[in-house]
Amino acid sequence: MPFIQTEMIRLNQTFATTEEAITAAGTVLQDAGCVTPEYVEAMHERQAIANVYIGNHVAIPHGTEAAKSAVQKTGISFLQVPDGVDFGGQTAKLVIGIAGVNDEHLELLSQIAILCSDEENVERLVQAKTKEEILALFMEEVA
């Protein structure tokens, strides 16, 4: 998965609200040059339309279809939230922001869903102590 890099991984994050978590995920994407500020706004719009929590303590914030033009390059932001953050009544311990050029976001969603469908993988990601551990698990699972 070439779209996740160590500089886009944040360990031991704490957020009081869903909005804070989505903003943080979007800001990492923005700082990496993947998206414009409009995309971060569209990530909040997406959450307002439908909860981006997918189960197994994982939320995948992403923008709306209308925000596709705000994506400059495909990327993933990875936020580890050991104490969890509320996403519509569910607790997310991993907040994985995605932005994809063209239809690459569908491939990202698919790969993340496969990785995170295994509760053991999610627990390993939540417990990881280094960014390299997280990267290695992504590479191992999607290779």
Side-chain angles (χ1 to χ4, degrees), residues 53-67:
Y53 180 85
I54 64 163
N56 274 1
H57 299 291
V58 180
I60 306 179
H62 54 287
T64 59
E65 195 65 29

Side-chain angles (χ1 to χ4, degrees), residues 47-122:
Q47 174 65 20
I49 295 166
N51 193 352
V52 295
Y53 180 85
I54 64 163
N56 274 1
H57 299 291
V58 180
I60 306 179
H62 54 287
T64 59
E65 195 65 29
K68 280 187 119 10
S69 62
V71 178
Q72 296 165 319
K73 67 180 184 182
T74 299
I76 296 174
S77 60
F78 183 96
L79 310 176
Q80 180 195 62
V81 191
D83 294 333
V85 59
D86 179 71
F87 268 81
Q90 303 294 325
T91 302
K93 293 184 177 185
L94 301 177
V95 178
I96 306 171
I98 64 169
V101 174
N102 301 320
D103 287 333
E104 287 180 343
H105 69 286
L106 297 174
E107 180 65 21
L108 295 178
L109 276 170
S110 170
Q111 291 176 342
I112 293 165
I114 290 166
L115 175 67
C116 295
S117 66
D118 183 335
E119 289 182 31
E120 189 177 305
N121 287 341
V122 172

Side-chain angles (χ1 to χ4, degrees), residues 108-140:
L108 295 178
L109 276 170
S110 170
Q111 291 176 342
I112 293 165
I114 290 166
L115 175 67
C116 295
S117 66
D118 183 335
E119 289 182 31
E120 189 177 305
N121 287 341
V122 172
E123 191 57 29
R124 286 169 62 193
L125 290 166
V126 171
Q127 298 299 325
K129 301 294 181 219
T130 67
K131 294 177 179 187
E132 290 73 22
E133 279 180 73
I134 289 168
L135 261 185
L137 189 57
F138 266 92
M139 297 307 178
E140 167 188 316

